[in-house]
Amino acid sequence: MKYKSLLLIGAPGSGKGTQGKILGTIPGFFHFSSGELFRSVDTNSAIGKTFLEYSSKGLLVPDDITIQLFNSYIDQMIAEGRFRPKVDYLVLDGLPRNVRQWYILSEKVEILFVYHLYCSDRSILVSRLKGRAVQDHRVDDTEEVIRKRFEIYERETKPLLHLFSPAQLKEIDCSALPYQVLRRILEPLP
């Protein structure tokens, strides 16, 4: 059985995490955030050290580690009854991050809608990232790391948008207020 899923895609700072967290509080939605999962990994473990090595430079964690963590986490959430695949939408935030990850994941997930959170003013996104980094004591607040994250998004993640039909793809201006973005996400759902 494939997990019926909603995919949030957008440049760093576009609000994927904010929308995913909000959706995750609504019965019938289960939010998966690759960023939250990686940040919860013990930084003294091999995977934790690998995550720090890549994230501190603004780079993506290797696909095999990312998919391995996703699979074990989802299996655990199902076993604990927190994710019920027969009734819940799986909200994917930060995964897949590239075409290769999508092809691996497509064996387990069925994407119903892809929400592309875009912003024509990159300075809004940069401001959000810097604010979040300070608030959360994260290492991704330097200009160099932020620039690298945008480059990787453009090269690795944005091409995913071409893999889905126009009926699946929903374009949403993420500079709107969070409740307005949420309303646009919920519109097409039955």
Side-chain angles (χ1 to χ4, degrees):
M1 174 184 133
K2 289 189 176 187
Y3 311 135
K4 58 185 180 188
S5 304
L6 309 174
L7 177 57
L8 302 172
I9 290 184
S14 63
K16 298 177 302 294
T18 297
Q19 293 303 319
K21 285 177 189 173
I22 294 169
L23 287 166
T25 66
I26 301 171
F29 292 87
F30 180 81
H31 175 225
F32 170 80
S33 165
S34 63
E36 284 181 21
L37 180 62
F38 277 119
R39 285 186 292 277
S40 72
V41 171
D42 178 3
T43 55
N44 293 318
S45 70
I47 289 177
K49 288 177 183 176
T50 300
F51 168 70
L52 283 176
E53 175 189 339
Y54 283 85
S55 67
S56 65
K57 298 173 187 170
L59 301 173
L60 297 180
V61 176
D63 295 341
D64 56 333
I65 293 172
T66 301
I67 298 299
Q68 174 189 350
L69 274 175
F70 168 78
N71 287 331
S72 62
Y73 178 77
I74 291 297
D75 290 345
Q76 178 183 345
M77 293 299 102
I78 292 170
E80 292 176 7
R82 294 174 60 193
F83 173 46
R84 302 160 306 161
K86 291 184 180 180
V87 296
D88 294 338
Y89 289 109
L90 175 60
V91 180
L92 295 170
D93 160 14
L95 186 74
R97 288 261 172 119
N98 60 46
V99 173
R100 182 173 181 266
Q101 285 181 3
W102 164 243
Y103 284 115
I104 296 168
L105 277 180
S106 66
E107 296 175 11
K108 285 195 164 193
V109 302
E110 175 190 359
I111 300 295
L112 304 177
F113 295 105
V114 176
Y115 301 97
H116 177 218
L117 305 180
Y118 70 89
C119 183
S120 56
D121 184 355
R122 185 168 280 183
S123 68
I124 292 171
L125 304 179
V126 170
S127 176
R128 288 178 182 176
L129 289 170
K130 286 183 174 186
R132 183 176 71 194
V134 169
Q135 179 181 0
D136 297 344
H137 308 290
R138 291 170 52 170
V139 296
D140 56 1
D141 63 343
T142 68
E143 292 288 335
E144 181 183 340
V145 170
I146 289 172
R147 182 184 50 73
K148 186 72 170 171
R149 290 181 65 203
F150 281 121
E151 288 173 7
I152 289 172
Y153 167 75
E154 291 292 329
R155 185 180 66 243
E156 299 278 330
T157 307
K158 198 170 181 182
L160 285 165
L161 296 172
H162 302 292
L163 301 177
F164 300 97
S165 74
Q168 290 173 291
L169 187 58
K170 307 298 177 194
E171 298 281 344
I172 302 174
D173 182 351
C174 70
S175 65
L177 294 171
Y179 82 88
Q180 294 168 322
V181 173
L182 178 64
R183 188 175 358 176
R184 293 281 319 276
I185 289 171
L186 294 173
E187 279 174 2
L189 297 176

